Amino acid sequence: LTSAIPAATAKQTATILQKCQMDSNTWLEAKFSLSINPSSANYIEAFFHCDSLRQNGWVIRMGDADDDIQLILRKNGQSQTILKGAKGYFNRSKSNITLRIIKQPEQIILLYKDSAWDQFQCLGAGIDTMWNKQSFHGWSITQSGSSAAGKHKVEQWYIGPPRPDKNPPQLLKIDWLQPQIAKLYFSEPIQIPERNQLICNFNAADTLLEITSRTITVKFPVIRCNEINIVHCQNFLDTANNVAPHLLDSSLAECPTPIYANQIIFTEIMVDPTPSLGHLPDAQYLEIYNTTDTAKWLQTLTLSDPQSYCILPKYLLPAKSFLILHNDPDTGFNFLKNKAIRMANLPHFNIDGDELLLKYFNDTIHQLNYNDKWYHPQYSGGGYSLEKTNLQCGCINNFNWHSNHDDGGTPGTKNSLPLNWPSPRGTISKIEPPQSRIVNHQWQTNQILEILSNSSPEIDNSSHSKSGPLPQLTLISADGDSIRSKFINTTKNGWVFQIETKEPIEASAKIINAKDCAHRFLMDTQFLVFKSPVEPEVGDIQFNEVMFNANDGSVDFLELINPNNKAIELNGLELLIETDQLSVQRILLCNESKILYPNQVICFSTNPYALAKTYNPERNPFHQICTVFPNLPATGATLKLTKSNSTQFIDIMQYNDNMHNDLINETKGISLEKNHPKAPSSSQQFWISAAATVGYATPAESNSQLVNLNTSKTNKKCFSLLDNIVGLQSYLNSENSNQLQLAFNMPQPGYIITASIYNMQGSLMGVPIFQVMIGKEGILPIPILTANGTLSEGNYIIHIDAFHRDADICTQNLRWIYLNR
């Protein structure tokens, strides 16, 4: 029943009465729920043993100014408060109360109980002198003021003798306080059960503890983390011995979910949603993906860009599932249902590029360095999202993103396949990101060496990583000594090792077991370590390729090479451009620390990403941006390399359009490249047009048409034995007698050698050594290992093959005499 009293400032009353026969000795019970706050001038009155005009009888008032319960005796219309208590009890929006009146010939006793209580409380007793024939009962609502209008509601009203409890207990809900521990709520007080009466996942409870008469806390031995768990309660009893044979309920058992690098990754972003295409709303959005096989809670993650910061909402992202984050106040993402969450403070993507960081506390989980050059040239006008190409690779890689070309985007679903990027070489698009390789190394201190790659390394953390053996670094100094190293940790760009040396050294190096963030082993893991880079002198850096008349939509570029055996520091390198008609242009090519190692190339341009994407993404590490790189004169110019504040020119070349092959009619989009890296750049005879088979250009790659400047092989003997006689006794007992000392003096460092021992009949003796990189000079130990551990006296041949990718192959035989003495 709800009152229909209109809003008014005057006090108004609505009443309901019912005639009910009773004698002088009756127990009556009134149980009702109030969805009101009967405070101040608003109150509820219950009538017992009254006449029809309510002039005589008992009145129980709930509410009024003190929010209390009053027992009022009314005679001839005059009211007298007999009992008053429970002050402030009704000052709340909802009340569930049971009144019990014990009516006897000469007294009336009032008991009351809240629905959350187990026992009644006694307000008190009053002397009853009422006439027994009065038999009306009911209730009334009294209100004053517009704020109370229409808010009075009685949901349940019962008058009669107290009802015996015949209802069994009910399981209301389950809260998982922590993994394995649950709190169970019941509808009424229960008797303490045995632990085997509670079952979860076919396992009885370990322990249980009573918190209140209606709640118990239970520990189960096995639960399913972050999944729905069902709890069974068998043969539970309430305090009236009512039995519930089987109760059950289910709820989600929350467990912490630590998140490590690349487990939650960015997979799609909508930066420029206008004009909207297909079913997509005109709004930015960000898609993330759970790469693991377990669900992950997201409320421990933070999302930030350089301007803003936000915490992700509490959301359990299932395994191998997507989630869309957006800030669209409209209903445009309703079609995704529970796969989309609106975040009012979501970072706004800048059209000209942005950096997004996803962090688990202070650890970076994933990073996105947005670049508007990722868009396919045909789908860059707005309305198309950018999607991750390979979801299994969490690497921060510019070549693992492509623009959608179907419906504008695929939020919450599988990403589209990429279109081929337009290239003069034809189809070069890759589903896999470019293979990671070592591109740099540097001494952090005298003993700490950092190996850098072109992508993030695999995170090494023994608590969660399954990457296998730790990375190992093998070093052989220029003197031929093996130097021990110890893996320390990974960084954002590479691996850090501690070297057992007092100062930086020059050495041949090899790294194994090093993986990138796509769990792939590195390529080209043999390299040279230099003490420190040097400033370039004349001839240390040479021009290797130039594009001076690029195709429309592409850019000019300049490629340099280090043809020497030392590391060159490029910071401060400048380019001078001289023409007949214009004044000399002076361009700063490199304004940061950049090392060019022996035989490495580097390509300068204003758009390295587009060049690598067009020709060869694998060579992206050897592209360098130069924002001030000009459009080179298409007819011809003189190019000079120099350093800041230097009067010497490191290298000089002249180019013009006539240097291209005579058979080429249209030279636009064709580069000039040198046919040998050590050829003088100033001689035009060594400059030729890039071949058609490579798309007429090879930026940051080996040139397409190379020639060998050497006319004959050297007869120089590069290897010699320091110990040519080994005694049997020392061979068996001496610490170093199981190896020979091989001295070497090579034309240049970087040779990879293989050494084997043969007898005079040509049979292989022992185990050869394979592919050891050596420096220019030094001593290399050759182990003497045989199947049975013994050698007979006689002559042996040590056969050595030395290979270098940029030099002649060196093959040599050395005679070794073994004497048993």
Side-chain angles (χ1 to χ4, degrees), residues 276-296:
S276 60
L277 303 172
H279 59 283
L280 298 181
D282 190 2
Q284 291 187 346
Y285 64 81
L286 169 67
E287 181 184 78
I288 58 177
Y289 177 71
N290 181 359
T291 64
T292 70
D293 295 324
T294 58
K296 298 290 183 180

Side-chain angles (χ1 to χ4, degrees), residues 287-576:
E287 181 184 78
I288 58 177
Y289 177 71
N290 181 359
T291 64
T292 70
D293 295 324
T294 58
K296 298 290 183 180
W297 289 105
L298 301 183
Q299 68 269 20
T300 55
L301 298 180
T302 58
L303 179 65
S304 64
D305 66 0
Q307 296 81 31
S308 58
Y309 166 93
C310 66
I311 300 176
L312 268 60
K314 185 176 182 179
Y315 182 90
L316 185 63
L317 183 58
K320 309 297 183 184
S321 296
F322 299 92
L323 177 67
I324 297 299
L325 306 176
H326 66 94
N327 186 17
D328 183 16
D330 204 348
T331 59
F333 289 97
N334 284 358
F335 71 96
L336 294 174
K337 299 181 180 179
N338 61 345
K339 290 185 178 181
I341 293 180
R342 180 173 181 252
M343 297 177 60
N345 55 347
L346 186 71
H348 182 83
F349 305 119
N350 299 319
I351 299 302
D352 59 347
D354 211 342
E355 179 185 74
L356 291 180
L357 288 177
L358 193 63
K359 287 190 173 184
Y360 175 74
F361 297 104
N362 293 324
D363 297 332
T364 298
I365 302 304
H366 201 233
Q367 180 177 344
L368 189 154
N369 300 323
Y370 160 68
N371 192 330
D372 57 8
K373 296 181 176 62
W374 293 348
Y375 289 100
H376 193 281
Q378 299 176 12
Y379 299 92
S380 59
Y384 293 96
S385 70
L386 289 168
E387 301 176 306
K388 201 172 184 65
T389 306
N390 180 9
L391 302 189
Q392 304 305 316
C393 175
C395 301
I396 305 167
N397 194 300
N398 288 334
F399 299 93
N400 200 19
W401 288 84
H402 66 271
S403 38
N404 182 279
H405 52 87
D406 294 327
D407 298 325
T410 57
T413 59
K414 183 179 178 181
N415 290 350
S416 65
L417 294 177
L419 285 179
N420 290 328
W421 194 272
S423 169
R425 298 184 179 180
T427 303
I428 62 168
S429 295
K430 293 179 177 290
I431 299 299
E432 292 288 334
Q435 185 71 277
S436 296
R437 64 181 71 231
I438 295 173
V439 296
N440 199 349
H441 63 266
Q442 55 191 29
W443 288 100
Q444 299 294 340
T445 65
N446 287 355
Q447 291 183 309
I448 304 300
L449 179 66
E450 183 176 9
I451 311 299
L452 305 177
S453 69
N454 64 318
S455 68
S456 301
E458 186 172 59
I459 300 299
D460 174 70
N461 188 317
S462 58
S463 63
H464 69 274
S465 177
K466 299 179 181 179
S467 58
L470 295 177
Q472 296 180 11
L473 177 65
T474 301
L475 286 173
I476 299 178
S477 71
D479 298 329
D481 298 329
S482 297
I483 301 172
R484 298 180 62 180
S485 63
K486 178 182 178 182
F487 172 74
I488 300 179
N489 66 301
T490 56
T491 65
K492 180 179 178 181
N493 297 316
W495 301 264
V496 179
F497 293 86
Q498 183 174 358
I499 312 298
E500 293 187 2
T501 178
K502 295 181 179 179
E503 61 182 15
I505 60 168
E506 289 190 3
S508 300
K510 183 177 183 180
I511 185 172
I512 62 173
N513 297 331
K515 294 183 180 180
D516 66 4
C517 48
H519 317 299
R520 301 170 303 184
F521 287 103
L522 267 67
M523 298 178 64
D524 301 336
T525 56
Q526 293 181 338
F527 55 98
L528 296 177
V529 177
F530 295 87
K531 291 182 179 179
S532 59
V534 298
E535 294 294 319
E537 299 178 356
V538 175
D540 284 347
I541 304 174
Q542 293 189 16
F543 294 105
N544 198 50
E545 185 175 2
V546 60
M547 173 70 78
F548 54 89
N549 189 10
N551 284 322
D552 296 339
S554 187
V555 293
D556 290 346
F557 64 81
L558 179 66
E559 182 187 270
L560 306 177
I561 190 170
N562 176 4
N564 300 284
N565 57 1
K566 50 188 176 181
I568 307 297
E569 174 61 65
L570 299 183
N571 189 14
L573 186 67
E574 293 184 342
L575 174 67
L576 274 62

Side-chain angles (χ1 to χ4, degrees), residues 675-721:
N675 58 14
H676 195 280
K678 293 185 177 181
S681 303
S682 57
S683 298
Q684 295 188 5
Q685 60 178 329
F686 295 108
W687 289 93
I688 57 177
S689 302
T693 55
V694 295
Y696 295 107
T698 56
E701 298 178 281
S702 296
N703 292 347
S704 60
Q705 302 182 63
L706 295 176
V707 297
N708 191 350
L709 297 183
N710 295 329
T711 58
S712 62
K713 295 185 178 180
T714 176
N715 293 320
K716 181 181 178 181
K717 300 298 183 180
C718 300
F719 299 93
S720 61
L721 280 176

